[in-house]
Amino acid sequence: FSLSRSREKKKRRRRANTGTTIQHVLNNRRDIPHDGTAGMIRILCRITKLGWFEDDSYKKLVLDIQKFLQHTIDAAIIGLRILNELVIEMNQTLPGQTPTAARKTAVSFKDECLFHIFQCSLSMLRQIQENKVNIQNEQQAHDIRKFSLDAAKSVLMFDFIGTNPDESCGEVGTVQVPLSWRRILQDPLTLRLLFEFYEKNQEPHSAKCLELLVYLASVRRSVFSNETERKNFLNRLLEGVRDILRFSRGLNGPDNFHQFCRLLGKVKMNYQLSELVSSDGYMNFIELLSNFTKKSFEMYKYSNRSTHYLLQLWDRIVSATPYVKSKDSSQGHSVEKHLPGIMDKYVVGRLLHIRDAHRGG
């Protein structure tokens, strides 16, 4: 028994020393190849996961990485990559690991580190937006944006309640963020930051920003302190969506267009039509949405992979109209006014698609 304990202690020391060495190398790297850096980051995160309950020093990794974010631009990029990989690592079950053990580690990580990582990623996005990051070349500009967005996305994709959903469909369900996240979700600056970041950046960063908004639009209803706060969140979300619709900001990019259609569908999926009708600027929103849908159906070659999101959106809107009471809005939902034009554009677009397919054959 003593020999077994001694071997276990040596194993823990070797694991801790390996993790410390890798972190030191990453912090003082010079010309390590990209693949080599990625491999060391994966090893560091795997060691951290395996040693999570063996030594409290492993739980300090996120705090140590925060120093990277306050250092040079290259160090900040490495730090964001580590945070992103750590979230992914903690969110999966390792071969030979029991689901119970994996979930125990994930819950502890969620409670102690996940919100802090989300704050770090948003803080870095805000610094980029305000030109407070000393970017020296195009590669650094690309990487700092990419890994800031990736880290934030990985956090929102985290399996918060242990349901282990099937990710093969690629669709976002309800994001079960903890109640302790309420403050950052109710903060008007959070949505404003992402909409402004989308406006000032190009693909692929703008598309990833829209994907973040899809996740935020999917947060559970009960995370808000009251219905007023939830309505305020919806108003801010629709305001940003209306601006994109009004000026067609970035929608000439295929990935932006696709993610924006996902965002529109998620807004209706997570909010009832009566809530949309009673929101600020609803009549303007439904008018812009109708025009956008008709143009999308006309551009069938461009919008083909996103058409089903728009069809599902209008299907849910129409299905909900019987449940909208007159008290929800003095002007009503105004849906029936837009449906004939939408149906006409959809049918014409499908017929043109069939014609082109026949010619191509």
Side-chain angles (χ1 to χ4, degrees), residues 171 268-269 307-317:
E171 274 310 297
K268 177 59 193 77
M269 186 181 295
T307 297
H308 65 285
Y309 290 114
L310 298 175
L311 290 174
Q312 290 173 354
L313 167 63
W314 283 101
D315 175 59
R316 292 190 178 100
I317 289 176

Side-chain angles (χ1 to χ4, degrees), residues 169 171-174 214 218 261-277 282 285-286 289 293 306-324 333 335 339 342:
C169 63
E171 274 310 297
V172 182
T174 302
V214 171
S218 308
C261 288
R262 292 184 67 207
L263 176 59
L264 291 173
K266 181 53 63 176
V267 169
K268 177 59 193 77
M269 186 181 295
N270 212 35
Y271 291 88
Q272 298 177 8
L273 181 58
S274 58
E275 294 176 297
L276 297 178
V277 169
Y282 166 77
F285 167 73
I286 200 70
L289 177 60
T293 304
S306 309
T307 297
H308 65 285
Y309 290 114
L310 298 175
L311 290 174
Q312 290 173 354
L313 167 63
W314 283 101
D315 175 59
R316 292 190 178 100
I317 289 176
V318 173
S319 299
T321 53
Y323 306 100
V324 177
H333 51 70
V335 172
L339 290 179
I342 291 173

Side-chain angles (χ1 to χ4, degrees), residues 97-246:
Q97 187 180 33
T98 65
T100 301
R103 189 61 201 163
K104 182 180 178 183
T105 304
V107 169
S108 175
F109 176 74
K110 177 196 71 175
D111 294 340
E112 298 192 35
C113 301
L114 201 59
F115 183 60
H116 185 63
I117 293 174
F118 190 56
Q119 287 180 308
C120 287
S121 60
L122 290 184
S123 175
M124 185 58 66
L125 288 174
R126 185 170 288 108
Q127 291 180 53
I128 296 170
Q129 187 70 5
E130 296 174 354
N131 296 318
K132 293 182 178 179
V133 181
N134 185 23
I135 298 173
Q136 300 173 354
N137 55 60
E138 288 297 323
Q139 187 61 49
Q140 288 180 344
H142 174 273
D143 288 348
I144 195 71
R145 286 168 170 80
K146 168 181 166 53
F147 292 112
S148 296
L149 291 165
D150 283 349
K153 177 186 171 183
S154 295
V155 168
L156 293 177
M157 290 177 63
F158 197 83
D159 189 4
F160 291 97
I161 58 176
T163 55
N164 192 26
D166 179 17
E167 297 180 357
S168 60
C169 63
E171 274 310 297
V172 182
T174 302
V175 179
Q176 302 285 346
V177 295
L179 289 177
S180 58
W181 294 39
R182 174 180 291 165
R183 175 174 54 84
I184 200 168
L185 293 172
Q186 293 182 172
D187 187 351
L189 296 178
T190 302
L191 285 181
R192 185 187 305 172
L193 168 65
L194 294 178
F195 277 115
E196 290 179 353
F197 195 90
Y198 165 77
E199 178 183 349
K200 295 183 179 181
N201 288 273
Q202 305 295 322
E203 291 183 355
H205 309 305
S206 52
K208 285 188 178 183
C209 194
L210 283 176
E211 197 170 359
L212 274 181
L213 287 165
V214 171
Y215 281 95
L216 287 179
S218 308
V219 295
R220 62 189 175 106
R221 186 187 197 100
S222 56
V223 77
F224 297 97
S225 55
N226 52 55
E227 285 301 311
T228 300
E229 289 293 346
R230 188 169 188 266
K231 183 176 181 179
N232 291 338
F233 181 86
L234 175 61
N235 285 335
R236 291 191 291 269
L237 185 62
L238 289 182
E239 181 183 2
V241 169
R242 286 198 306 271
D243 285 344
I244 295 175
L245 287 170
R246 185 179 297 114

